Amino acid sequence: MKRLRVFSVVFCAALTVGFFNSARADEPQPHPGGPSEKIGEVHFLTSCGAEAQKRFDRAVALLHSFWYEESEKAFRAAAEAEPACAMAYWGIAMSNFHPLWAPPTPAELARGREALEEAKRHPPKSERERDYLAAIESFYRDAETLDHRTRALAYEKAMERLAGKHPNDREAAIFYALALDGTALPTDKSYANQKKAGEILTKIFEKAPDHPGVAHYIIHSYDYPPLARLALPAARRYAKIAPSSPHAQHMPSHIFTRLGLWKEAIESNLASAAAAKAHVEKKQPGAASFEQLHAMDYLMYAHLQLGQDGEAKRTLDEIRRMDQVDNPSFVSAYAFAAVPARWALERRNWAEASALTPQPASFPWGRHRASEAIIHFARALGLA
């Protein structure tokens, strides 16, 4: 059965890490997250003591997979181990930035600023650390008067200077590449920023194949139909680097979807949804995870492309049983709206499409007008 292709806006995401100075500085350190935790190999050298450094490395690895809530907790754990570890506060500020996702909320901006103020009470012990703190401060500065893009561009320029000033700092280059992706204009079909970022990251990927941020950001850099094939090696590597991360399980499916590799996309998102569900069950029993919802959106689309209506219907039924979510963000709203819309539209069931309403009723739809627009768009297509 020939399927109607419906364009999907993809929201996901990326983040930061480490320092390359010598062979010893680049050796991965054991993470304090337990022997079963696998989040990739990262060592971001700091002037902090051994215990804080171990916690900091784990936090940065989590940050690289956009596990923002967990990375913030881990950076705070590093600060608890050593209150004078200035870079731990840098990490808290970075955890509230998330350059490829929606702009920080007022509460996130406040947490980031508080962390940077705390860092000033514990001045960093090296010029390099001062440069990292100054770079992220350029994003938080004047947030009341400057818009998000202006401040993101200021951060990008600061990271460009930092990477140029510290050419042996591998992580400076990785952060700079991420900043380029974060400020890329969606209207620029030359993909200038993304190509520049991808070139930087691909060179590093050859030397650091187990670094979670490098593989992750290559996927984001090339997450466009004309470029997607360039990210296939990273896509097939990332989930193996950080299997404990729901986001790392999901991100390869961006490339698989772009290239029509539907079976691989299904495997990727089944693993992501299961990992996200298991994680949220520990902290908020009975709730769905926004990462789980995002994976299910991709899962629905992939099943439909293969004509697997039974599996697609089970995905729809599962999402319709959900009435709580750990993070009622735009990503959650999009999945709640898109999954039933895809089910109706891809099967050309115009009557069902025209009858779509926001579900679940308990979700704060008023804060996510864009998701309601998706439903109205689905109705329009169904009635056309």
Side-chain angles (χ1 to χ4, degrees), residues 109-246:
L109 282 172
R111 289 202 301 274
R113 286 172 130 180
E114 288 169 4
L116 292 173
E117 287 300 314
E118 188 63 29
K120 292 176 182 178
R121 288 189 276 273
H122 306 283
K125 299 174 184 178
S126 72
E127 182 180 15
R128 169 179 164 269
E129 292 183 357
R130 288 193 293 273
D131 290 342
Y132 270 100
L133 282 159
I136 188 57
E137 188 174 16
S138 69
F139 171 75
Y140 283 94
R141 187 182 301 119
D142 299 325
E144 300 88 353
T145 56
L146 296 178
D147 63 88
H148 174 80
R149 177 166 177 78
T150 297
R151 292 180 288 112
L153 285 168
Y155 172 76
E156 178 208 311
K157 295 304 180 186
M159 287 310 304
E160 180 180 22
R161 291 191 296 271
L162 195 158
K165 184 176 178 180
H166 304 280
N168 292 327
D169 187 341
R170 175 183 289 170
E171 298 307 326
I174 297 170
F175 279 122
Y176 175 44
L178 176 62
L180 285 168
D181 284 336
T183 56
L185 287 169
T187 54
D188 178 14
K189 298 308 177 184
S190 73
Y191 306 110
N193 274 30
Q194 295 94 325
K195 289 178 180 177
K196 186 174 181 179
E199 289 170 3
I200 293 169
L201 295 163
T202 299
K203 290 177 182 177
I204 299 173
F205 191 42
E206 296 173 359
K207 299 177 182 179
D210 292 320
H211 191 296
V214 178
H216 186 183
Y217 306 152
I218 288 174
I219 294 171
H220 278 292
S221 298
Y222 294 140
D223 190 14
Y224 305 90
L227 306 178
R229 190 158 292 279
L230 297 172
L232 194 54
R236 287 182 167 148
R237 182 72 187 146
Y238 184 31
K240 297 175 183 177
I241 294 171
S244 296
S245 163

Side-chain angles (χ1 to χ4, degrees), residues 8-12 100-103 105 290 293-294 297 325 327-338 363-365 367-374:
S8 172
V9 179
V10 180
F11 287 89
C12 268
L100 295 188
W101 287 8
T105 64
F290 80 101
L293 285 163
H294 188 55
D297 181 19
V325 64
N327 183 1
S329 63
F330 178 82
V331 173
S332 304
Y334 188 93
F336 276 132
F363 192 84
W365 291 102
R367 298 207 316 247
H368 303 283
R369 312 291 292 191
S371 294
E372 290 189 304
I374 294 168

Side-chain angles (χ1 to χ4, degrees), residues 3 262-263 266 299-300 302-314 343:
R3 295 292 182 190
W262 303 117
K263 291 183 179 179
I266 289 169
L299 194 59
M300 167 63 83
H303 280 314
L304 289 169
Q305 302 320 303
L306 292 178
Q308 296 177 346
D309 286 16
E311 289 86 346
K313 181 60 164 57
R314 281 191 284 275
W343 170 253

Side-chain angles (χ1 to χ4, degrees), residues 5 15 33 35 53 62 95 98 107 123 130 134 158 162 180 190 209 215 235 354 358 360 369:
R5 301 279 179 163
L15 248 94
Q53 180 70 63
L62 293 166
S95 297
H98 37 74
R130 288 193 293 273
L162 195 158
L180 285 168
S190 73
S354 67
R369 312 291 292 191

Side-chain angles (χ1 to χ4, degrees), residues 284-288 293 318-326 328 336 359-364:
Q284 196 173 337
L293 285 163
E318 183 177 356
I319 209 167
R320 281 178 169 167
R321 289 193 293 269
M322 297 174 177
D323 60 4
Q324 297 180 57
V325 64
D326 64 341
F336 276 132
Q359 297 288 332
S362 58
F363 192 84

Side-chain angles (χ1 to χ4, degrees), residues 340-341 343-345 348-358 374-384:
W343 170 253
L345 292 170
R348 299 174 184 261
N349 190 328
W350 312 127
E352 188 173 350
S354 67
L356 288 171
T357 57
I374 294 168
I375 294 174
H376 292 308
F377 173 67
R379 286 178 176 171
L381 285 180
L383 295 171

